[in-house]
Amino acid sequence: MSHPYLANLIVRVAVLVSAGCLSASPTVLAQPVTGFYGLTFVFDGELVLRAHVEDGSGHPAQGGTVTFQYCSLKGIPSNDITQPDEAPSSACANGSGTWATLGRVPVNPETGDALLDFGLVSVVNTIGFRYRYVGQGTGIQNKLIDPVDWNR
């Protein structure tokens, strides 16, 4: 490599470093913060699931999605009122049930809530639910919440 070429290269690298285009130290990206993740129920014949997500300061999540799941007994078809598959979360904990996905719902950025109408519940008295929050750039950590049982 010729001396003038090397000197020119050194000058270009120095310019890039001083302009901030190159850095000697690695860039540290902000890590998502732990949030508050709640699950409540509204029941008036039909059961509505309400997931609520906030950041650590109590501000509603500005987006993301919530995937709701319920505990379903193994070997029993879903949506059969003569043979309900819905079960308490303990059934999923002991292996007699498995978590079945109900659907994915966007979080309302004004409230931090995601709502899902589970539907009519006329036979079963206890059903285990949980959800997975995916923040998609909101700054709040993704999380699979611990199960919560709804009791009639």
Side-chain angles (χ1 to χ4, degrees):
M1 189 178 311
S2 68
H3 180 60
Y5 178 77
L6 182 58
N8 190 6
L9 179 63
I10 291 171
V11 169
R12 286 184 185 194
V13 169
V15 168
L16 289 172
V17 168
S18 66
C21 296
L22 295 177
S23 174
S25 62
T27 301
V28 177
L29 300 175
Q31 295 299 309
V33 298
T34 300
F36 167 79
Y37 313 87
L39 179 60
T40 56
F41 309 102
V42 177
F43 182 69
D44 187 20
E46 288 200 25
L47 180 59
V48 176
L49 313 178
R50 177 185 170 256
H52 182 76
V53 181
E54 298 176 352
D55 66 15
S57 300
H59 301 106
Q62 297 298 297
T65 59
V66 167
T67 301
F68 289 98
Q69 296 180 317
Y70 76 101
C71 186
S72 172
L73 292 172
K74 291 180 179 177
I76 298 178
S78 60
N79 297 322
D80 181 353
I81 194 150
T82 64
Q83 196 177 15
D85 70 313
E86 298 88 356
S89 59
S90 59
C92 284
N94 71 24
S96 62
T98 186
W99 291 104
T101 298
L102 292 165
R104 189 173 71 186
V105 179
V107 172
N108 180 327
E110 294 178 17
T111 64
D113 295 338
L115 303 171
L116 180 88
D117 185 350
F118 183 74
L120 293 173
V121 180
S122 58
V123 178
V124 180
N125 291 324
T126 304
I127 306 170
F129 293 97
R130 69 181 188 180
Y131 70 81
R132 178 180 304 280
Y133 172 72
V134 176
Q136 301 163 327
T138 63
I140 302 173
Q141 278 183 344
N142 299 343
K143 181 166 177 90
L144 175 64
I145 69 160
D146 291 334
V148 177
D149 282 343
W150 168 80
N151 296 293
R152 184 187 317 267

